[in-house]
Amino acid sequence: MNWYVVYTKPKWEKKVAEQLNQLGVTCYCPLLTQVRQWADRKKKVVVPLFNSYVFVQLEEAQRNAVFGASGVVRYLFWLGKPAIVKDEEIAIIKKSLESTVISEILVESYKKGDRITVEAGVFKNQVGVVQEVSNTECVLILESLGCVLRIKYK
């Protein structure tokens, strides 16, 4: 069985996960405990690691079962197909959340104008500016080399 990513209404992640469990669908909504401060107090709150996302594990033929839960909007797609998350990746998320040394986790995607460092390949350690991001590729300008690097996703 594959893990798929379900997109939910904002702030509905925990409710959707609970409803999916009641429907008999195996799901995982990674949660973090954070300390939030208001003007008059501090409070520990449990928040989802990924806003508006819940992972579900089911067979391809059973994918429509998730729409029985209110708050489910759609599946997350990647390159025209439902995004599939590997079992190892789910295990890594679970293991990393069990660690007590995590102080803060931010999940962000690249956007135009971001400065990033290439971490592997022939351009390793080169700093580039994101010029364009699409579903199939990312275009970086490597100023130090005077070239444009076009990275295609598989």
Side-chain angles (χ1 to χ4, degrees):
M1 286 194 289
N2 292 323
W3 285 96
Y4 296 98
V5 183
V6 172
Y7 186 75
T8 68
K9 291 180 181 179
K11 311 283 187 200
W12 276 64
E13 303 89 348
K14 293 189 275 185
K15 295 175 208 161
V16 167
E18 185 179 313
Q19 290 178 36
L20 289 172
N21 280 328
Q22 290 174 354
L23 291 172
V25 176
T26 303
C27 66
Y28 176 55
C29 180
L31 301 171
L32 284 175
T33 302
Q34 294 181 337
V35 177
R36 297 275 172 100
Q37 184 169 351
W38 283 264
D40 60 338
R41 68 188 188 287
K42 288 184 179 181
K43 185 177 179 182
K44 284 186 179 182
V45 294
V46 179
V47 296
L49 177 60
F50 303 105
N51 292 332
S52 297
Y53 293 134
V54 173
F55 301 100
V56 294
Q57 186 180 35
L58 35 73
E59 296 290 339
E60 174 76 27
Q62 299 172 331
R63 282 193 321 117
N64 285 337
V66 300
F67 296 110
S70 58
V72 172
V73 177
R74 62 180 168 82
Y75 278 96
L76 180 71
F77 280 76
W78 177 253
L79 300 177
K81 298 179 183 175
I84 296 176
V85 181
K86 297 177 184 171
D87 289 332
E88 300 85 43
E89 293 169 333
I90 297 292
I92 289 169
I93 293 169
K94 287 180 179 180
K95 186 174 182 181
S96 65
L97 289 176
E98 291 170 1
S99 173
T100 57
V101 293
I102 297 173
S103 60
E104 183 176 2
I105 296 176
L106 297 174
V107 179
E108 300 176 356
S109 59
Y110 296 120
K111 56 188 177 296
K112 187 176 181 177
D114 285 352
R115 296 185 71 80
I116 62 172
T117 302
V118 180
E119 296 180 357
V122 295
F123 296 106
K124 185 175 182 178
N125 297 326
Q126 293 294 318
V127 176
V129 178
V130 177
Q131 182 182 22
E132 181 183 330
V133 179
S134 71
N135 289 340
T136 58
E137 66 184 12
C138 179
V139 178
L140 296 176
I141 298 175
L142 301 177
E143 295 168 345
S144 63
L145 298 176
C147 68
V148 176
L149 178 62
R150 188 174 300 268
I151 303 166
K152 294 197 179 214
Y153 310 128
K154 291 184 177 183

